[in-house]
């Protein structure tokens, strides 16, 4: 029997590390947390300024805990090698508690990468469990429990059953809802720009109208900003076609155009820093289309170890970090690699070091990087699946680029000046930028969110000199309209959360997952749209418990948790004070269901004003008379929350209400799109929209398989006759059906040498291509009548 026992979180990590340590070490996995607060009890006990959390071993962990206890009794020494962040430190402490291991012993082992040298070095320098980090994690768990268990019951009583508040996710939800409100309030503003085509001895180029007299041509946003500062006189907003046309005529009236104020300068652009958790999640979504949760799952696989044939090794360093620091060994390897792969021109004379700006960043840790830059993506591609390779290549390129020379650009700017028939000077401006040396761009270019301004030009201008005369060959006016702020993507939401100090690297993906799984938001084309349920939660919390959704309040609490992690503050008083504060809120404020006044709307029954009210049953907003319950007048709301009428909501008479036979209106609900009766709320008939995959149910032979989402946000495929038929498939089947019975085929395992799919019905093995396409779901409305397309026509259209 092995003398030493090592505890890690995951079995994959356990297998990799055990190969490095040899026969004297036995490595077991805890499978995550071994203890947690009970779900049925508050479990936060406060007294005399101190706090005690009552933990229990969940049923799912009891088997693993028993195995750890048994091995710990027999081992001469127990090492706790869980992850190096706060959560990992807390898991190590919980394991020590349940296994009877002395937490004051030097048995804590931490490492930022899973390679032979890193593991052996870590085991030669064990330390004690960091009590401050454990306290910080316990404090975080306690304040999360306080918000969830104290405030959520008030939501159940006053809004709808089964919904909840969360300390961090409620703030993230508020950001999404506030953005949606901005979009709804937004009114597009028209403006124009002028573009001139100029010629210099046969060489054509373009320029934009920059000034009219002393006024600079600008956009509505800049004009409004300058107007607030009292500087509007120095700016010109071309607000309509008539003004633009007049400026076109004035430009054409200029007799001579002269080049003036030519400036040339060289600019250098440095590469972006190496990845932190948040920047990896942002860039993986922008470049790869990965949601934050998917990014973290794949990164975990790359960190814990990949079988490369000759060895099993972690390909990247620890993926939960807010540091942009790179170690000296990694910097030296990267410098050599750049010289070999790209040449001396691309190498730096001395390493480039970055300084982090994230709150609470731990610079002693390293950024996310390859454990060895010499493992080129092409060299390991055969051992990685598609997601793993894409993410590894992204990390490898970004890391290598950090140690490459700057990109060099030549920038030219020239003004083209003329006097119009009115004696006013018109000034067009031409700008050009030419890449002279690609530098780090040869390896990697950072992407941008679509709400970031990217005004860099890449056109090359002719050789312009002050005093040259030019010919204006054409002037083109272009109409524009201002656009609302874009809805959040996973990338932009993570960026905002980090900038505001809300949450920490290890929590970003779980925050988003909670919002989606609880149906507070829906995701469409990678954009977050708040559902009516999410909106009412935010409205309720804003009205009665504003602190919980206040960005600065939440950020200050995160700072306080950082203080506890650094040992500067005790966690007991902080948790006690917060619990007392929340209890005071509930006792004093007497919360009730939100009723939000609607401007300019009159009750159809009595003519009084109306309020926006949420229905706990349908989980939709509607307009109600403010005199309710004396007056029961109601009106529907459109998708922008505006009062409308049934006629304006475009009743679909081809989808009949199953209760009364009248037409229905398409809406979005907690389980996806549906058609609700036009007479709602007096008639509550609905028709659910199905997402069929074109395969008949192999169980009942009558129903059709549809794509659905579980209460935890996980997609699955089940019969549309549920609960009469309970067939379910938890993996996305292949597009091709089973050739034997027509049932759905489960995809082969990744990287299989001879990929074989298995039928979910007859269990036949069917050879398939390694990248065989999966099914794609299409919308199907079961009760659509002949006025649109009947059932047979919809089915035929899918088959076609």
């Amino acid at each position: 029997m092995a003398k030493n026992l090592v505890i890690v979180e995951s079995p994959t990590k356990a297998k990799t590390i055990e190969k490095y340590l040899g026969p004297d070490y036995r490595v077991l996995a805890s499978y995550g947390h071994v203890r947690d607060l009970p779900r049925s009890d508050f479990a936060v006990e406060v007294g005399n300024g101190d706090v005690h959390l009552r933990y229990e071993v969940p049923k799912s962990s009891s088997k693993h805990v028993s195995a750890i206890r048994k091995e710990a009794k027999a081992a001469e020494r127990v090492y706790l090698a869980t992850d190096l962040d706060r959560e990992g430190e807390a898991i190590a402490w919980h394991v020590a508690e349940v296994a009877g291991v002395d937490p004051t012993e030097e048995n804590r082992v931490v490492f930022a990468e899973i390679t032979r040298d890193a593991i052996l070095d870590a085991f030669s320098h064990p330390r004690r469990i960091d009590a401050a980090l454990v306290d910080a994690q316990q404090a975080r768990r306690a304040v999360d429990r306080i918000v969830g268990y104290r405030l959520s019951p008030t939501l159940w009583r006053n809004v709808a059953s089964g919904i909840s508040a969360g300390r961090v996710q409620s703030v993230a939800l508020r950001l999404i809802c506030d953005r949606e409100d901005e979009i709804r309030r937004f009114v597009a503003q028209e403006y124009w720009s002028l573009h001139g085509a100029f010629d210099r001895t046969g060489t054509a180029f373009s320029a934009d109208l920059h000034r009219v007299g002393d006024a600079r041509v600008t956009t509505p946003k800049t004009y409004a900003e300058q107007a607030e500062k009292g500087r509007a006189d120095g700016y010109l907003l071309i607000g309509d076609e008539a003004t633009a046309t007049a400026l076109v005529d004035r430009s054409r009236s200029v007799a001579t155009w002269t080049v003036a104020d030519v400036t040339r300068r060289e600019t250098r652009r440095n590469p972006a820093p190496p990845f932190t958790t948040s920047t990896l999640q942002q860039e993986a979504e922008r470049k790869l289309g990965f949601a934050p949760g998917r990014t973290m799952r794949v990164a975990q696989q790359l960190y814990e170890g990949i079988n490369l044939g000759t060895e099993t090794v972690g390909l990247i360093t620890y993926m939960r970090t807010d540091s942009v620091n790179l170690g000296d060994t990694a910097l030296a390897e990267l410098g050599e690699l750049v010289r070999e792969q790209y040449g001396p021109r691309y190498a730096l004379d001395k390493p480039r070091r970055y300084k982090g700006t994230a709150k609470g960043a731990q610079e002693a840790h390293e950024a996310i990087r390859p454990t060895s830059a010499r493992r080129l993506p092409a060299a390991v591609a055969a051992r990685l699946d598609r997601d793993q390779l894409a993410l590894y290549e992204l990390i490898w390129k970004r890391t290598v680029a950090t140690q490459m020379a700057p990109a060099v650009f030549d920038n030219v700017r020239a003004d083209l000046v003329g006097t119009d028939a009115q004696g006013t000077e018109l000034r067009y401006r031409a700008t050009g930028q030419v890449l002279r040396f690609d530098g780090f761009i040869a390896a990697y270019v950072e992407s941008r969110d679509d709400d970031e301004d990217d005004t860099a030009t890449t056109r090359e201008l002719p050789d312009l000199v002050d005093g040259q005369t030019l010919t204006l060959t054409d002037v083109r006016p272009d109409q524009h309209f201002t656009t609302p702020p874009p809805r959040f993507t996973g990338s932009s939401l993570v960026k905002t959360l980090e900038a505001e100090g809300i949450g920490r690297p290890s929590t970003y993906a779980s925050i988003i997952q909670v919002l989606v799984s609880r149906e507070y938001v829906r995701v469409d084309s990678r954009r977050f749209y708040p559902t009516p349920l999410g909106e009412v939660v935010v409205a309720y919390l804003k009205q009665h418990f504003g602190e919980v959704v206040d960005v600065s309040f939440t950020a200050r609490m995160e700072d306080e948790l950082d203080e506890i992690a650094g040992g500067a503050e005790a966690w007991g008083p902080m948790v006690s004070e917060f619990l007392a504060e929340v209890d005071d809120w509930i006792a004093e404020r007497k919360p009730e269901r939100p009723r939000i006044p609607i401007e300019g709307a009159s009750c159809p029954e009595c003519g009084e004003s109306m309020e926006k009210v949420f229905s706990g049953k349908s989980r939709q907003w509607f307009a109600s008379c403010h005199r309710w319950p004396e007056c029961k007048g109601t009106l529907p709301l459109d998708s922008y929350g505006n009062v409308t009428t049934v006629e304006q909501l475009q009743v679909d008479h081809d989808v009949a209400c199953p209760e009364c036979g009248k037409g229905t209106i398409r809406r979005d609900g907690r389980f996806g799109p549906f058609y609700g009766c036009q007479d709602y709320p007096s008639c509550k008939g609905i028709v659910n929209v199905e997402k069929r995959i074109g395969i008949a149910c192999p169980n009942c032979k009558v129903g059709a398989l549809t794509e659905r989402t579980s209460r935890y946000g996980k997609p699955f495929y089940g019969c549309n006759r549920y609960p009469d038929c309970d067939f379910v498939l938890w993996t996305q089947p292949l597009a091709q059906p089973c050739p034997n019975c027509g049932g759905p085929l489960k995809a082969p395992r990744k990287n299989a040498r001879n990929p074989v799919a298995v039928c979910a019905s007859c269990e036949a093995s069917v050879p398939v291509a390694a990248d065989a396409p999966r099914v794609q779901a299409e919308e199907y409305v079961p009760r659509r009548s002949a006025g649109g397309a009947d059932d047979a026509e919809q089915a035929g259209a899918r088959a076609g």
Side-chain angles (χ1 to χ4, degrees):
M1 180 174 285
K3 298 178 181 178
N4 304 291
L5 175 65
V6 181
I7 309 299
V8 297
E9 293 99 330
S10 79
T12 303
K13 187 175 174 182
K15 289 178 183 177
T16 306
I17 291 175
E18 196 166 56
K19 292 177 181 178
Y20 298 148
L21 295 176
D24 286 341
Y25 290 82
R26 170 96 163 101
V27 184
L28 288 182
S30 69
Y31 291 83
H33 287 273
V34 295
R35 292 197 308 181
D36 199 1
L37 300 178
R39 298 185 66 179
S40 59
D41 188 12
F42 183 50
V44 179
E45 299 174 351
V46 177
N48 300 321
D50 199 8
V51 177
H52 174 69
L53 304 185
R54 281 189 290 104
Y55 294 103
E56 68 175 13
V57 177
K59 287 184 179 180
S60 59
S61 299
S62 58
K63 181 177 70 173
H64 310 304
V65 168
S66 296
I68 290 171
R69 284 172 174 161
K70 180 180 177 181
E71 294 288 340
K73 287 180 180 179
E76 294 181 8
R77 188 168 184 182
V78 178
Y79 291 94
L80 306 169
T82 49
D83 290 342
L84 53 80
D85 57 8
R86 291 178 196 169
E87 193 166 1
E89 203 74 18
I91 292 174
W93 177 74
H94 282 298
V95 169
E97 290 284 307
V98 299
V101 176
D102 186 355
T104 63
E105 289 184 4
E106 292 185 344
N107 53 15
R108 177 79 171 107
V109 176
V110 293
F111 39 84
E113 61 184 74
I114 301 179
T115 59
R116 182 178 298 277
D117 290 346
I119 296 302
L120 296 179
D121 180 67
F123 273 83
S124 65
H125 300 94
R127 61 166 173 80
R128 293 185 178 88
I129 290 175
D130 189 328
L133 288 180
V134 175
D135 289 348
Q137 187 62 22
Q138 290 199 93
R140 182 181 299 275
R141 191 73 183 89
V143 295
D144 287 348
R145 175 58 65 108
I146 290 168
V147 172
Y149 276 58
R150 286 294 206 252
L151 296 188
S152 295
T154 73
L155 277 163
W156 305 340
R157 290 192 296 268
N158 297 300
V159 180
S161 61
I163 60 177
S164 61
R167 184 182 63 87
V168 177
Q169 62 261 24
S170 292
V171 185
L173 180 59
R174 178 189 178 158
L175 293 174
I176 295 170
C177 291
D178 285 354
R179 179 63 57 87
E180 195 69 22
D181 288 340
E182 285 184 69
I183 294 170
R184 289 170 179 166
R185 291 192 304 266
F186 180 80
V187 178
Q189 184 176 353
E190 178 186 10
Y191 69 102
W192 292 71
S193 60
L194 267 64
H195 311 283
F198 291 85
D199 181 85
R200 189 187 74 82
T201 62
T203 303
F205 64 99
S206 63
D208 302 328
L209 181 62
H210 179 61
R211 282 187 178 275
V212 177
D214 293 330
R216 178 176 176 176
V217 178
T218 189
T219 63
K221 180 181 179 182
T222 303
Y223 188 83
E225 291 171 351
Q226 296 303 320
E228 286 182 6
K229 299 174 183 177
R231 303 174 185 170
D233 291 344
Y235 291 83
L236 171 64
L237 180 64
I238 307 174
D240 52 51
E241 186 175 10
T243 306
T245 302
L247 286 168
V248 168
D249 293 339
R250 291 170 64 180
S251 297
R252 286 175 175 157
S253 73
V254 173
T256 304
W257 291 94
T258 306
V259 178
D261 300 329
V262 177
T263 59
R264 291 182 173 83
R265 63 191 178 95
E266 179 184 277
T267 58
R268 293 170 176 262
R269 187 193 304 170
N270 285 320
F275 282 129
T276 62
T277 301
S278 68
T279 56
L280 176 63
Q281 291 174 358
Q282 294 169 46
E283 193 74 342
E285 178 167 272
R286 290 189 293 239
K287 283 188 178 292
L288 308 178
F290 288 8
R294 181 179 178 186
T295 297
M296 296 310 291
R297 283 194 301 273
V298 178
Q300 182 96 22
Q301 295 163 8
L302 295 174
Y303 165 70
E304 290 187 342
I306 300 293
N307 185 352
L308 300 181
T310 57
E311 62 175 339
T312 299
V313 65
L315 294 185
I316 65 170
T317 54
Y318 190 55
M319 65 285 163
R320 294 187 183 92
T321 178
D322 44 21
S323 171
V324 291
N325 182 49
L326 292 175
D328 292 339
T329 303
L331 290 171
E333 184 184 51
L334 288 165
E336 293 173 2
L337 180 80
V338 170
R339 285 186 176 83
E340 295 170 9
Q341 293 287 323
Y342 296 93
R345 288 184 65 206
Y346 290 84
L348 300 173
D349 293 333
K350 61 179 182 179
R352 180 184 289 113
R353 297 181 184 274
Y354 294 86
K355 188 173 182 180
T357 58
K359 294 182 179 181
Q362 303 174 68
E363 295 300 325
H365 298 162
E366 282 197 76
I368 303 170
R369 62 167 176 82
T371 53
S372 173
R374 294 194 175 279
R375 292 193 189 93
L376 306 185
V380 298
R383 295 287 178 171
L384 303 178
D385 64 32
R386 187 178 302 174
D387 284 2
Q388 291 169 344
L389 177 59
L391 194 65
Y392 180 69
E393 189 171 29
L394 187 72
I395 295 169
W396 187 91
K397 287 181 176 180
R398 172 88 161 221
T399 308
V400 170
T402 65
Q403 300 306 309
M404 295 178 69
V408 181
F409 297 86
D410 284 344
N411 293 275
V412 180
R413 188 184 74 190
D415 287 352
L416 316 173
V417 183
T419 304
D420 66 10
Q422 302 175 15
T424 303
E425 180 184 271
L426 302 182
R427 186 175 288 251
Y428 282 75
R429 175 162 288 179
T431 56
Q433 182 183 78
V434 179
L435 179 65
R436 293 303 181 197
F437 175 59
D438 57 359
F440 74 90
I441 292 176
Y444 183 84
V445 180
E446 185 179 32
S447 298
R448 293 174 178 266
D449 287 317
D450 55 12
D451 57 346
E452 292 183 291
D453 184 26
D454 187 6
T455 57
T457 54
T458 57
R459 60 189 175 189
E460 189 166 6
L461 298 178
D463 188 17
L464 299 176
V465 179
D466 284 3
Q468 287 177 332
T469 57
L470 305 171
T471 302
L472 176 68
T473 60
D474 190 25
V475 183
R476 186 186 78 252
D478 279 350
Q479 183 185 37
H480 311 275
F481 290 93
T482 54
T483 57
R487 291 180 175 88
F488 283 109
T489 61
S491 165
S492 57
L493 182 60
V494 165
K495 184 175 182 179
T496 302
L497 292 173
E498 181 182 38
E500 297 289 353
I502 299 168
R504 287 298 179 257
S506 60
T507 64
Y508 297 139
S510 62
I511 290 170
I512 293 172
Q513 179 59 34
V514 166
L515 295 181
V516 174
S517 64
R518 291 185 180 171
E519 295 156 355
Y520 295 154
V521 301
R522 63 181 178 86
V523 184
D524 188 357
S525 300
R526 290 162 48 188
R527 302 274 171 189
F528 293 122
Y529 293 75
T531 63
L533 184 62
E535 289 180 310
V536 76
V537 168
V538 169
Y540 175 83
L541 293 175
K542 272 185 177 180
Q543 186 173 339
H544 301 294
F545 304 105
E547 296 88 344
V548 175
V549 288
D550 182 75
V551 171
S552 59
F553 179 86
T554 306
R556 287 195 301 272
M557 181 164 283
E558 290 290 348
D559 291 340
E560 212 168 345
L561 291 169
D562 287 340
E563 291 290 313
I564 295 170
E569 184 177 341
W571 74 288
M574 178 263 195
V575 173
S576 299
E577 290 171 12
F578 183 63
L579 176 58
E581 190 174 9
V582 171
D583 285 343
D584 287 344
W585 296 344
I586 296 170
E588 295 169 1
R589 298 179 185 181
K590 297 179 174 57
E592 59 185 13
R593 178 173 300 190
R595 297 184 67 90
I596 304 169
I598 303 174
E599 294 183 9
S602 300
C603 174
E605 300 292 333
C606 68
E608 292 287 328
S609 61
M610 305 198 77
E611 297 172 320
K612 184 178 176 181
V613 181
F614 183 78
S615 167
K617 291 184 178 180
S618 69
R619 305 209 170 190
Q620 296 290 320
W621 290 98
F622 66 96
S624 169
C625 181
H626 85 99
R627 294 178 55 243
W628 182 90
E630 287 80 15
C631 176
K632 294 182 170 56
T634 63
L635 282 173
L637 300 177
D638 63 17
S639 58
Y640 286 92
N642 300 317
V643 174
T644 184
T645 63
V646 170
E647 291 73 24
Q648 290 174 323
L649 284 177
Q650 299 180 343
V651 177
D652 192 335
H653 295 285
D654 296 328
V655 183
C657 172
E659 300 294 330
C660 68
K662 291 185 178 181
T664 54
I665 298 168
R666 184 182 174 101
R667 300 180 184 276
D668 288 311
R670 61 181 304 198
F671 299 114
F674 69 95
Y675 286 79
C677 183
Q678 70 181 57
D679 284 347
Y680 175 83
S682 59
C683 177
K684 296 182 172 60
I686 64 168
V687 177
N688 288 316
V689 176
E690 297 177 357
K691 296 178 71 174
R692 295 193 177 184
I693 63 174
I695 300 176
C697 175
N699 185 37
C700 68
K701 314 296 184 185
V702 177
L705 293 187
T706 60
E707 182 181 274
R708 298 161 64 187
T709 304
S710 74
R711 60 182 297 188
Y712 301 107
K714 184 177 180 180
F716 69 95
Y717 301 84
C719 181
N720 67 340
R721 295 181 62 246
Y722 178 85
D724 295 328
C725 176
D726 59 0
F727 176 83
V728 66
L729 186 63
W730 288 98
T731 59
Q732 186 180 13
L734 299 183
Q736 67 184 84
C738 173
N740 297 329
C741 69
L745 289 177
K746 293 186 285 188
R749 62 181 178 84
K750 294 177 180 179
N751 300 326
R753 292 186 178 180
N754 300 303
V756 174
V758 178
C759 178
S761 177
C762 68
E763 299 186 352
S765 297
V766 181
V768 296
D771 56 351
R774 307 292 184 98
V775 294
Q776 297 297 321
E778 295 185 13
E779 278 198 1
Y780 180 88
V781 184
R783 293 181 60 86
R784 187 172 292 281
S785 66
D790 61 18
D791 288 3
E793 287 174 328
Q794 291 187 63
R798 283 197 318 280

